[in-house]
Amino acid sequence: MAQFQRPTLCCCRKVLTVPSKSCEGGQGLGQCRLVDIASASNFHCFKLRHFHLDLRLNFAVKEITGWQVLELVAIQPGVQTLVLDTHPSLLIHSIDCKVPGTTGAQDISPSLTYRVDPFTDYGSSLNISLPAYVIRPHRAFQITVRYTTTDGPAIWWLDAELTCGQTRPLVFTQGHSVCNRSFFPCFDTPAVKSTYTATVRVPEGVTVLMSASRSAYSKQDRVFQFSMEYPVPAYLVALVAGDLQHVDIGPRSRVWAEPCILTCAVSKLGGSVERWLNVAEDLFGPYVWGRYDIVFLPPSFPIVAMENPCLTFIISSILESREFLLIDVIHEIAHGWFGNAVTNATWEEMWLSEGLATYAQRRITTEAYGEAFTCLETVFRLDALHRQMRLLGDNNPVSKLQVKFEPGINPSSLMNLFTYEKGFCFVSYLSQLCGNVKRFDSFLRAYIEQFKFSSVVAQDLLDFFLGFFPELKESCVAQREGLEFERWLNGCGPPLCEPDLSAGGVLTGPVQSLCDLWASEPPDPEAIANFNLSSWSTFQTVLFLDRLLDRSPLSHEVMGQLSRCYSAQLDEMNAEVRIRWLQIVVRNSFYPDLPRIRGFLHKHTSRMYTVPLYEDLCSGVMKCFAAEVFYQTQARLHPNLRRTLQQILFQTSALPTPTGSAPSLLHPTPLSPSPTPRDQLGSADPPTTGTIALRDVNVSA
């Protein structure tokens, strides 16, 4: 359709479109802008068949050394340069070339000439000059790159003090969206998929896991072997190594974690994972990845969860809340179909992964836990979406589903609620057009089967949808006034329509009733006493607190009454509940509950809990208090998070070391609100606002 056409390669060679529809392993993708990869200028000239990593982890110096072998096939003749994405933190030692099956001088080439050019602030361009004899169409050749990683955005080294057990160090990688170019040179785009293998050498006592379908371990050599037999994009290659143990929780699932939290993790999940997988398979077809394992990572993990194939990474902090854990794991399971098996070809259309995965997640929870529970969780998320919309304004371009960003813009800035919730609403609208949710389930099964292991653009999805339902195509639903597909994709603002959530009224109704009682002048204590928060679910409680937060500022009298009613009760609840009450405390400058904030920040050192509170503290009159708590806790924060909080507190890149004791809290002085800092830590650190933070979404990442 004409409305989906995009620009072709521009003169700066940073925006590329190529002519066919879906992309399988990097060949052909439909009218897709690729402004985030240096390799955009020629990756379509090559087919990446496979790559192998041979790595050695050095915890003492926090480096990974080794080599990568890329097996490539030239698609077009005459191209004499291979361009890969890399990063300034990745040090290239040498590059050579081999043509398998040949003999003599052409078997192995001496070190190739290469250069590394600047590209953006999140990556560089690795330009490799290829020997003329290599570039023959449809003949395979191998490029070997020897390198060392240093302090790049993909690799997170944790000293022992920052782990859950605080006994041994740990390292993990986080590739979403464009960070893995600092882990290994690659075509760092979701448009290119390939299989991979890996050999990882580690010190004694270290267990290594990767997002791979098969693994083996030689205890004598301390070598782990991995194989991913299904094609994946670069961002889904992940590694974690440390003091990890496991317990099987199903026929194809096990939980990995540090020993001190393993029992808790297993008890929280029980046999639920296999149940959720079975429900998902009934809805969307076979789970194609074989295993579904979960590894719980320390609080320094910068996002909530990441859908690495065969091995979901998830932050251990979420274990406090069973309902949030349930939603997060089911969301990552849904990515096994939507995002991993079928992937958005460009980060400008991230909703093709997150919007579809969110819809699939809610189909699974509806089947497993009922429509009312799903509607409650959806109301909670859509409330957050509209809150973000009020902050950004209706005409902000980041609210588009097809966000077009300029060269140099980090795709991580697109990780916002619109990709999840506006995308979900569009998918829900497509489901409503079918007239029957089961018919739409059948469409999604067929969609997965059609595009499995490939990367797609929105046109592929919508063309397939209209082809699957020809009666809808004949009735021109794509051009229905006010709900045009083009307007859904390229219009700013909130969703054009939202699904009917009235089935959740039995759960959301009491929440709204209690909110209304607190909004009355004055609140009626007897009526309020009829509501018992301890009998509510977590999602009911956080919805209530979020709506109270929306009404801030509240009078000191109302805050006092709220504190008397709920503070002690909320102290016994999980962190997702407590952080919302503490945000209400901060935004209303309610000093009697400051000790609770101090206790919370001393206990919780994860980004999803610290950043929102520090932003609120520094936007109001409690900046001195925030600085005091920071000085007391900074030793237990990951250096990346420490730098982020320094930016929030001081709007500088460095915090002077205090002499003597930490500053004490004096009488608070009104301060002008500080602007929201922009994290500079790559895709792990999207920008936040005082109201919407990473905890409001699953970054799938």
Side-chain angles (χ1 to χ4, degrees):
M1 291 181 286
Q3 61 263 36
F4 297 105
Q5 291 181 356
R6 302 267 187 97
T8 55
L9 184 65
C10 73
C11 59
C12 70
R13 302 191 68 78
K14 290 184 180 178
V15 181
L16 174 76
T17 65
V18 288
S20 64
K21 282 195 175 179
S22 65
C23 169
E24 298 183 11
Q27 290 191 80
L29 52 124
Q31 300 163 11
C32 165
R33 286 162 37 91
L34 300 173
V35 302
D36 55 327
I37 57 170
S39 55
S41 61
N42 83 343
F43 85 85
H44 60 293
C45 301
F46 301 94
K47 164 78 174 180
L48 177 61
R49 284 184 173 178
H50 180 84
F51 69 89
H52 175 75
L53 298 171
D54 194 298
L55 307 173
R56 183 180 298 275
L57 307 187
N58 189 328
F59 284 86
V61 295
K62 299 181 179 178
E63 288 182 352
I64 300 177
T65 59
W67 62 87
Q68 175 193 32
V69 180
L70 299 98
E71 183 179 333
L72 298 149
V73 175
I75 303 298
Q76 298 181 8
V79 180
Q80 296 184 342
T81 302
L82 172 66
V83 183
L84 298 174
D85 295 291
T86 185
H87 191 272
S89 65
L90 195 151
L91 307 180
I92 306 293
H93 302 309
S94 67
I95 302 176
D96 57 52
C97 178
K98 179 179 180 180
V99 180
T102 62
T103 58
Q106 291 186 352
D107 185 31
I108 299 179
S109 171
S111 294
L112 301 181
T113 301
Y114 67 91
R115 73 176 191 273
V116 178
D117 294 334
F119 177 64
T120 66
D121 63 356
Y122 58 85
S124 304
S125 170
L126 175 60
N127 301 270
I128 305 169
S129 298
L130 299 175
Y133 70 84
V134 169
I135 309 303
R136 297 181 185 177
H138 312 298
R139 186 172 76 171
F141 64 97
Q142 294 177 348
I143 296 292
T144 300
V145 183
R146 300 179 186 277
Y147 68 94
T148 298
T149 70
T150 56
D151 187 21
I155 304 168
W156 293 64
W157 296 92
L158 305 187
D159 294 330
E161 310 84 66
L162 297 179
T163 66
C164 296
Q166 299 185 355
T167 56
R168 294 183 179 179
L170 182 142
V171 63
F172 63 83
T173 66
Q174 167 55 22
H176 196 289
S177 304
V178 289
C179 285
N180 265 356
R181 61 189 69 185
S182 68
F183 182 17
F184 52 89
C186 57
F187 297 119
D188 199 1
T189 167
V192 176
K193 293 185 174 184
S194 75
T195 57
Y196 81 89
T197 51
T199 300
V200 185
R201 295 169 172 81
V202 293
E204 186 175 357
V206 174
T207 297
V208 184
L209 309 175
M210 290 192 74
S211 54
S213 51
R214 296 180 181 178
S215 64
Y217 173 56
S218 169
K219 185 174 182 179
Q220 179 179 354
D221 301 323
R222 298 198 302 276
V223 172
F224 289 81
Q225 303 276 358
F226 300 95
S227 173
M228 171 51 83
E229 57 194 305
Y230 310 106
V232 295
Y235 79 92
L236 289 178
V237 177
L239 174 149
V240 58
D243 182 14
L244 300 170
Q245 297 180 7
H246 75 271
V247 170
D248 289 336
I249 57 170
R252 49 184 162 175
S253 300
R254 60 182 43 160
V255 168
W256 290 88
E258 293 179 69
C260 61
I261 62 169
L262 181 60
T263 300
C264 174
V266 171
S267 67
K268 291 293 179 73
L269 288 171
S272 299
V273 171
E274 183 63 23
R275 177 191 178 196
W276 298 333
L277 285 167
N278 288 333
V279 172
E281 288 185 312
D282 289 342
L283 292 170
F284 311 121
Y287 177 74
V288 298
W289 302 98
R291 294 204 59 81
Y292 182 80
D293 295 340
I294 302 171
V295 57
F296 285 90
L297 297 177
S300 293
F301 188 54
I303 56 177
V304 178
M306 181 63 205
E307 70 276 15
N308 302 308
C310 307
L311 183 67
T312 286
F313 285 17
I314 191 164
I315 192 168
S316 57
S317 307
I318 209 69
L319 286 168
E320 282 197 26
S321 171
R322 182 182 178 277
E323 289 177 39
F324 276 80
L325 173 64
L326 175 155
I327 291 297
D328 291 329
V329 173
I330 292 177
H331 184 86
E332 306 314 317
I333 285 175
H335 272 305
W337 288 261
F338 306 98
N340 293 2
V342 182
T343 309
N344 47 288
T346 165
W347 293 120
E348 292 185 328
E349 294 186 328
M350 203 181 301
W351 74 272
L352 286 168
S353 171
E354 297 302 344
L356 280 161
T358 301
Y359 177 88
Q361 160 211 313
R362 289 171 181 156
R363 284 292 294 121
I364 296 169
T365 58
T366 297
E367 295 296 315
Y369 299 101
E371 193 173 3
F373 172 81
T374 299
C375 288
L376 169 64
E377 184 266 335
T378 306
V379 167
F380 163 69
R381 300 292 188 186
L382 288 178
D383 264 20
L385 177 70
H386 290 292
R387 195 173 300 120
Q388 191 170 70
M389 196 75 255
R390 291 193 296 271
L391 286 171
L392 297 176
D394 287 344
N395 295 318
N396 195 302
V398 303
S399 62
K400 295 181 179 181
L401 290 183
Q402 284 185 333
V403 181
K404 297 174 178 60
F405 50 90
E406 296 301 317
I409 298 298
N410 194 322
S412 305
S413 62
L414 300 183
M415 289 304 300
N416 57 52
L417 284 167
F418 298 100
T419 59
Y420 294 79
E421 299 304 334
K422 189 173 182 179
F424 159 76
C425 287
F426 183 33
V427 178
S428 296
Y429 172 65
L430 296 178
S431 176
Q432 292 169 21
L433 290 176
C434 301
N436 185 304
V437 69
K438 296 295 185 182
R439 293 186 70 205
F440 195 66
D441 292 341
S442 298
F443 159 72
L444 291 177
R445 283 195 296 272
Y447 167 76
I448 293 295
E449 187 61 32
Q450 176 71 19
F451 296 106
K452 183 170 54 181
F453 301 131
S454 65
S455 300
V456 300
V457 294
Q459 183 177 356
D460 297 322
L461 170 69
L462 298 177
D463 282 353
F464 191 72
F465 174 78
L466 294 174
F468 196 86
F469 299 107
E471 70 280 8
L472 297 179
K473 183 176 183 179
E474 291 173 6
S475 63
C476 298
V477 294
Q479 288 81 39
R480 186 170 291 176
E481 186 175 0
L483 293 167
E484 300 90 346
F485 289 178
E486 162 67 11
R487 188 174 173 188
W488 270 104
L489 295 176
N490 288 307
C492 296
L496 301 182
C497 67
E498 296 179 3
D500 178 12
L501 302 175
S502 59
V506 64
L507 299 176
T508 59
V511 173
Q512 188 56 48
S513 296
L514 185 56
C515 286
D516 292 340
L517 286 172
W518 280 106
S520 60
E521 293 287 348
D524 182 351
E526 292 185 5
I528 288 171
N530 291 325
F531 293 84
N532 180 11
L533 264 60
S534 63
S535 67
W536 282 7
S537 69
T538 291
F539 277 119
Q540 284 178 297
T541 307
V542 295
L543 180 63
F544 166 64
L545 294 173
D546 275 353
R547 290 184 174 179
L548 279 183
L549 196 62
D550 288 339
R551 297 176 186 269
S552 296
L554 303 170
S555 70
H556 188 78
E557 291 74 18
V558 168
M559 280 300 302
Q561 192 172 351
L562 281 167
S563 181
R564 289 190 295 274
C565 286
Y566 302 130
S567 273
Q569 192 174 352
L570 297 176
D571 283 344
E572 305 301 318
M573 297 187 183
N574 61 66
E576 292 292 336
V577 171
R578 294 203 307 279
I579 188 175
R580 287 167 167 84
W581 168 245
L582 297 179
Q583 286 187 288
I584 294 173
V585 168
V586 173
R587 293 192 194 176
N588 290 278
S589 302
F590 189 68
Y591 295 105
D593 274 10
L594 277 186
R596 289 184 163 90
I597 299 172
R598 186 191 304 276
F600 186 88
L601 289 174
H602 273 261
K603 177 181 179 181
H604 294 281
T605 57
S606 65
R607 175 173 299 271
M608 66 180 182
Y609 295 135
T610 54
V611 170
L613 272 178
Y614 274 97
E615 286 184 332
D616 280 350
L617 286 165
C618 293
S619 296
V621 297
M622 299 183 177
K623 198 168 186 177
C624 293
F625 173 79
E628 178 184 350
V629 175
F630 175 78
Y631 277 118
Q632 294 168 349
T633 61
Q634 61 175 322
R636 297 190 294 110
L637 303 175
H638 189 277
N640 291 349
L641 177 57
R642 196 181 307 149
R643 286 193 292 268
T644 299
L645 297 183
Q646 287 171 350
Q647 292 169 358
I648 294 172
L649 283 162
F650 303 102
Q651 298 300 299
T652 62
S653 60
L655 178 65
T657 303
T659 58
S661 60
S664 61
L665 177 62
L666 303 176
H667 296 293
T669 303
L671 298 168
S672 59
S674 58
T676 300
R678 185 179 182 84
D679 281 329
Q680 300 174 352
L681 306 176
S683 71
D685 300 277
T688 63
T689 71
T691 303
I692 300 294
L694 286 178
R695 61 184 173 79
D696 290 307
V697 297
N698 296 306
V699 181
S700 305

